[in-house]
Structure formats: C-alpha cells, structure tokens
C-alpha cells in the first residue's frame, strides 16, 4: 500500500488513527503493531509471515545474545535475518553469477518464486543493529515483545526507512503507554505529509512519466542528457517524498522519526553527499561496519568495503556492485 493512494489516505490512515487514540494507553503499542502488520500484509501473506517470523526470532535472539555475550552467538544471530535477506534479494543474482542451471533453480524454486518482500532491507538492518547493541551493552534487552514488534514494524518507516535504532525510539514508545493524553503535532504532521505528496506527485511521478517516454538508444543528445538528469531527480524526489510523509505520519502517532536527507545535491564532495543522502544508512554503515573494521586504521580498504556494501544494499545486480565500487 503506497502512501499516496486514496485507500491509504482516506481509509487505512483515518481508521488506524482512530483505533490508536480510542484505545486505552496500555493497548496503544498493540494497536500500532496490529495496524502495521495489516499495512504490511497488503503486500502479500508470504511477506507478512516472513516479517512476523523475523520479529519472533529477534525477541529470542536478543535473550540468547544477552545471556551468553559470545561473539559466535552474535554472528549466528545476525546471520539468520541477513541470510533471509540474501535468500529473497540476492539468491537469484548469485545463481546467475555462478551460472546455475535449471536443475539448481528448480531445487530453490520455493524461494525464487516469491517477489522481494517490501522493506526487508530496512527492517533487517534494524534487527541487526538491535542485536549488536544488546550484545555490546549499549542498551538492555527489551523484555516487552509488543514494544520490540512496534519498533520493527512501525508502518511509516517500514517500507523505505529511515533506518531506526532502538535507542532512538524506545523512550518514545514508553511515553505512548505512560501518558494518558497525547498531544500530536498535527499542524507539522499535515505539513510534512502535504509536502511529501506534492514531491511525489508533481515531481517524482511527473518526471518519471516524461523519462519513460525516451528511448536511450535512438534519442538525441539533449534527450539523453534529460534522461540522466531526470532519473537522478526521480530517485531523490521519490525517496525524499516518502521520507517526509514518514516523518509526518510518525508525528500523528507522537513518534519523532529522524530526517533522512539534507539537500544532498548541493554537496561539494562525495563525502559531504553521503552525510546528506540517506543519512540513516550512511551512519548505520559507519557505526556497524566501518568502525568495527578498524575505521581510519585501514581507511582505503574499509571505505571500499562499506561502499561495496552500500551499492549491493541498494539492489542485486552488477550495476549496483560497480556503482558502489566507483
């Protein structure tokens, strides 16, 4: 379900908000989980089953990781959600790389038949960071499974981020169940949602309709230049619009989500660009990959590794691999 559809704006959202504010404060997190799972379930039963299974696993894995505090236990725990991400997002591409034949693909058909579950990269990274932080003692293990499920499945950020850290949202979720009367910032919420809708409809979708008319092979030089530039703007306005709407929707439920873009196309260097584009991903890669590989002690190697990871994170294909490496 897309944020810009009439079904979402005029049916799902009003019903979800009404249920949230009518419910007793002790049940607000449960309402968030239920409406978030319903929202995600609209993309398919298999995707919903995978999300629910991953949430259940995260609850159990956090207990084991905290109990034993062993590196190998942590590696096994994070390998499960990362393994699921690999199966659904990268398995087909990997089989192409190794030249797997129809027989091998037949054995793996039960996975290959499914469309990539929406948002799996985002909630996988959130679970991995949560497990690492619990093991490192950055935070205590969350003993309320409903609260943890709300963190992972909160629908405004579920499909396209931002990538949350549990410590960013934990106290906000506690406040929802503690305060009897909530005071959402509806004025700013409507502002963010309206701007997001405008960017999505009048910029991203409009540019896409023009971009799709061009044939890169037969078009002239100016048309080809327009196709390149418009593609860059489409990616930005589409993602930025979603992020703005996510922030606005979060405010309706009294949840502050982090900003994910800071005018990246005004950057004067690649380093500055990645501090302004998809900020939560950049800082996730810095904190959970770059610094743990040694940071500046092996700068060139580590930069190559994290940007290869960044490229492959965005999609399964040689184009993403080459783009990340470049």
């Amino acid at each position: 379900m897309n944020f810009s559809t009439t079904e979402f704006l005029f049916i799902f959202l009003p019903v979800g908000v009404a249920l949230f504010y009518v419910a007793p404060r002790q049940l607000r997190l449960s309402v968030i989980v239920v409406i978030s799972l319903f929202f995600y379930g609209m993309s398919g039963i298999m995707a919903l089953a995978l999300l629910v299974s991953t949430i259940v696993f995260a609850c159990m894995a956090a207990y084991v990781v905290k109990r034993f505090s062993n590196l190998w236990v942590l590696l096994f725990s994070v390998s499960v959600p990362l393994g699921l991400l690999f199966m659904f997002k990268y398995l087909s591409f990997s089989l192409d790389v190794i030249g797997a034949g129809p027989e091998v693909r037949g054995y793996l058909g039960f996975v290959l038949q499914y469309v990539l579950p929406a948002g799996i990269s985002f909630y996988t990274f959130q679970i991995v960071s949560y497990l690492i932080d619990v093991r490192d003692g950055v935070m205590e293990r969350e003993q309320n499974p409903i609260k943890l499920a709300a963190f992972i499945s909160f629908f405004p950020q579920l499909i396209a981020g931002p990538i949350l850290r549990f410590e960013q949202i934990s106290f906000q979720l506690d406040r929802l169940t503690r305060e009897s009367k909530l005071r959402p910032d509806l004025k700013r919420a409507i502002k963010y949602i309206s701007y997001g809708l405008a960017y999505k409809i009048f910029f991203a979708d409009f540019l896409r309709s023009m971009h799709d008319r061009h044939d890169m092979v037969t078009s002239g030089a100016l048309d080809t230049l327009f196709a390149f530039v418009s593609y860059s703007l489409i990616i930005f306005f589409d993602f930025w619009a979603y992020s703005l709407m996510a922030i606005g929707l979060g405010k309706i439920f009294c949840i502050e989500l982090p900003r994910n873009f800071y005018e990246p196309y005004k950057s004067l260097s690649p380093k500055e660009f990645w501090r302004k584009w998809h900020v939560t991903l950049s800082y996730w890669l810095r904190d959970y990959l770059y610094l743990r590989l040694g940071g500046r002690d092996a700068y060139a190697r580590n930069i190559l590794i994290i940007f290869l990871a960044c490229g492959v994170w965005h999609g399964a294909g040689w184009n993403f691999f080459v783009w990340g490496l470049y």
Side-chain angles (χ1 to χ4, degrees):
M1 191 186 306
N2 195 296
F3 287 171
S4 60
T5 62
T6 55
E7 293 84 0
F8 176 83
L9 292 172
F10 299 108
I11 299 177
F12 174 84
L13 185 58
V15 172
V17 172
L19 290 174
F20 176 76
Y21 282 98
V22 168
R25 59 185 177 84
Q26 297 89 345
L27 296 179
R28 285 172 182 159
L29 291 184
S30 298
V31 171
I32 285 180
V33 172
V34 170
I35 63 176
S36 295
L37 292 180
F38 179 83
F39 171 85
Y40 194 74
M42 296 299 291
S43 64
I45 297 299
M46 179 60 189
L48 177 61
L50 180 64
L51 174 61
V52 172
S53 301
T54 307
I55 292 173
V56 172
F57 173 81
C59 294
M60 297 186 297
Y63 171 79
V64 175
V65 165
K66 186 64 177 179
R67 174 70 175 79
F68 296 99
S69 190
N70 182 281
L71 178 60
W72 291 107
V73 173
L74 174 66
L75 291 175
F76 172 77
S77 298
V78 299
S79 70
V80 173
L82 290 174
L84 291 172
L85 174 63
F86 174 83
M87 287 175 59
F88 286 96
K89 188 171 183 177
Y90 303 104
L91 180 59
S92 180
F93 171 68
S94 299
L95 293 176
D96 291 338
V97 171
I98 65 176
E103 184 177 350
V104 175
R105 289 182 173 274
Y107 286 123
L108 300 171
F110 69 98
V111 175
L112 298 174
Q113 66 179 316
Y114 293 107
V115 178
L116 175 68
I120 186 172
S121 298
F122 291 91
Y123 70 72
T124 296
F125 270 33
Q126 291 188 181
I127 291 171
V128 169
S129 66
Y130 168 69
L131 293 177
I132 293 175
D133 287 345
V134 168
R135 188 261 181 181
D136 289 349
V138 175
M139 66 179 65
E140 291 298 319
R141 176 181 69 89
E142 179 52 56
Q143 301 185 29
N144 182 353
I146 300 299
K147 180 181 173 182
L148 184 61
F151 155 67
I152 297 171
S153 66
F154 187 45
F155 76 89
Q157 53 82 41
L158 181 59
I159 304 300
I163 302 173
L164 296 179
R165 313 279 182 92
F166 188 66
E167 60 182 357
Q168 290 177 312
I169 200 173
S170 177
F171 70 96
Q172 299 189 64
L173 296 176
D174 288 336
R175 182 166 54 83
L176 297 183
T177 60
R178 186 176 61 248
E179 296 183 4
S180 57
K181 186 175 182 180
L182 299 174
R183 295 175 176 82
D185 189 351
L186 292 179
K187 182 178 179 180
R188 295 184 68 198
I190 294 173
K191 175 183 175 181
Y192 277 107
I193 294 172
S194 300
Y195 272 98
L197 280 171
Y199 286 145
K200 169 67 176 171
I201 296 170
F202 297 113
F203 289 87
D205 290 349
F206 178 72
L207 284 171
R208 181 177 286 108
S209 67
M210 298 178 65
H211 177 274
D212 292 345
R213 298 176 186 174
H214 292 285
D215 186 337
M216 296 289 287
V217 177
T218 60
S219 296
L222 288 178
D223 287 338
T224 301
L225 177 62
F226 168 79
F228 277 113
V229 174
S230 63
Y231 182 69
S232 300
L233 294 175
I234 289 167
I235 292 175
F236 170 68
F237 282 115
D238 213 22
F239 206 169
W240 178 220
Y242 191 101
S243 298
L244 283 176
M245 294 187 71
I247 293 173
L249 292 168
K251 289 182 181 297
I252 292 178
F253 292 90
C254 298
I255 297 292
E256 294 292 330
L257 297 179
R259 184 171 172 177
N260 219 11
F261 292 87
Y262 290 89
E263 300 180 329
Y265 285 151
K266 290 184 178 180
S267 303
L268 300 179
S269 69
K271 186 175 184 179
E272 182 183 0
F273 177 84
W274 283 106
R275 288 177 174 172
K276 296 182 175 182
W277 176 282
H278 202 344
V279 175
T280 55
L281 173 63
S282 296
Y283 283 101
W284 195 101
L285 291 171
R286 181 199 67 181
D287 295 341
Y288 295 101
L289 190 58
Y290 174 73
L291 293 178
R292 291 169 187 272
L293 289 171
R296 299 189 65 88
D297 292 340
Y299 181 76
R301 182 201 68 186
N302 294 340
I303 283 293
L304 285 173
I305 291 174
I306 68 164
F307 277 101
L308 277 174
C310 180
V312 175
W313 184 88
H314 280 85
W318 285 115
N319 54 328
F320 291 103
F321 183 91
V322 172
W323 169 68
L325 182 63
Y326 168 76

